[in-house]
Amino acid sequence: MTVHQPIRPAEKRPLTVRLATPRGFCAGVDRAIQIVERAIEKYGAPVYVRHEIVHNRHVVERLREMGAVFVKELDACPDDRPVVFSAHGVPKSVPETARSREMLYLDATCPLVSKVHVEAERHHAAGRHIILIGHAGHPEVVGTMGQLPAGAISLIETVEDAEAFQRPGDAPLAYATQTTLSVDDTAEILGALKRRFPELPDPHKEDICYATTNRQEAVKRLGEGCDLVLVVGSRNSSNSVRLVEVAIKAGAKDARLVDDAGHVDWSWLDGVSTLGITAGASAPERLIEDLVQAVRDRFDADVVEDDGARETVTFKLPRVLTT
């Protein structure tokens, strides 16, 4: 009598998975999303949102299902429904228009972006010309430049821009930065500017937001010891794109930006023994959990959490939503 051995599924290949800490939502993103959720709860649907509240497709789609309507400009909003301004901040002309139309508006601008706006106004009032380090067209940059009259701010994107910049007249100079930049790239640009204009103040650690800095430091640690780093985030998320760049510079053999587990090409993991996973500041933790589960489904995964900064920052919601 022949005994048939049961057919066993192919053994899963072992894989070490390192999860970055911190990762995902920051306090400013969490606050902005809560503002939309609570506005819908308090005022009913629809609630209009000028631009994407944060740069993450999954967040935007979930809020849309709850009753948020995302628009490019205020002229697409009716006067009698609430409108929320995105976490990236807006030019001064936007709330001015909302007030002139007697609209109910809620400002979800991240408080750390608002801090940059306040500093820009302070420098302008002191007669300084402001150099803004950032990416042209990004909503945060548009919002910051829109705090002051045209010509008051010069945008610098690269070291080459810094080398080519000409001081307008004899105005004293000051600088500000987009909050989601690469810490190292910004330092390089500032170095070029300070060499040419020594009167510029030394950079402060808080010039780029704490969450961006912490997530980049965490991904540097991944990059030093991982064959591949997967960054969960949307293509239009500046801080997520920067994490991919930082991982490569730190030594990762490869790094990829993915919207979610469904966008992973599993051939990327051929030959990978250590995988790093992190997420941009606007990516929900559930997307990380789904990605880790998808990895476990395919590999004998040993998942370890990296040590990193523990964030305790929180930002208050507008009083109108809490009373």
Side-chain angles (χ1 to χ4, degrees), residues 3 7 11 36 54 95 107-108 120 173 200 202 207 237 254-255 258 294 299:
V3 178
I7 299 174
E11 288 190 8
V36 179
V54 298
D107 190 354
L173 298 174
L200 282 171
D202 289 330
D207 287 336
S237 167
D254 193 9
V258 294
F299 297 90

Side-chain angles (χ1 to χ4, degrees), residues 182-205:
S182 159
V183 174
D184 293 338
D185 289 351
T186 303
E188 191 177 356
I189 292 169
L190 273 174
L193 287 168
K194 281 184 64 64
R195 179 177 49 76
R196 297 187 60 218
F197 307 104
E199 74 271 23
L200 282 171
D202 289 330
H204 300 289
K205 185 178 180 182

Side-chain angles (χ1 to χ4, degrees), residues 48-224:
Y48 287 76
V49 184
R50 184 186 178 275
H51 292 183
E52 292 188 351
I53 187 67
V54 298
H55 282 160
N56 185 270
R57 180 175 63 84
H58 291 271
V59 170
V60 168
E61 288 177 356
R62 185 179 68 83
L63 293 175
R64 186 178 283 122
E65 290 170 0
M66 292 175 64
V69 177
F70 293 89
V71 298
K72 290 186 177 180
E73 296 298 345
L74 288 186
D75 56 15
C77 303
D79 293 343
D80 61 348
R81 294 305 303 163
V83 59
V84 180
F85 302 152
S86 81
H88 311 100
V90 296
K92 271 190 173 177
S93 59
V94 174
E96 288 171 357
T97 299
R99 284 192 292 270
S100 72
R101 291 174 56 185
E102 298 184 347
M103 302 174 77
L104 171 62
Y105 69 87
L106 300 160
D107 190 354
T109 301
C110 174
L112 298 179
V113 174
S114 296
K115 177 172 173 275
V116 174
H117 293 178
V118 170
E119 289 178 349
E121 289 190 288
R122 178 173 59 83
H123 289 311
H124 182 64
R128 302 183 186 102
H129 183 79
I130 300 159
I131 298 167
L132 176 62
I133 302 172
H135 298 298
H138 189 278
E140 183 182 329
V141 167
V142 172
T144 298
M145 296 188 76
Q147 301 304 304
L148 299 175
I153 299 177
S154 294
L155 180 63
I156 300 292
E157 296 189 78
T158 63
V159 170
E160 290 73 23
D161 289 347
E163 296 291 356
F165 169 74
Q166 296 298 317
R167 182 200 305 263
D170 57 357
L173 298 174
Y175 72 87
T177 69
Q178 182 181 332
T179 63
T180 55
L181 299 177
S182 159
V183 174
D184 293 338
D185 289 351
T186 303
E188 191 177 356
I189 292 169
L190 273 174
L193 287 168
K194 281 184 64 64
R195 179 177 49 76
R196 297 187 60 218
F197 307 104
E199 74 271 23
L200 282 171
D202 289 330
H204 300 289
K205 185 178 180 182
E206 64 271 17
D207 287 336
I208 293 174
C209 95
Y210 79 94
T212 298
T213 301
N214 288 346
R215 280 151 189 72
Q216 288 182 17
E217 288 300 317
V219 90
K220 282 180 184 177
R221 290 190 290 274
L222 289 186
E224 289 167 357

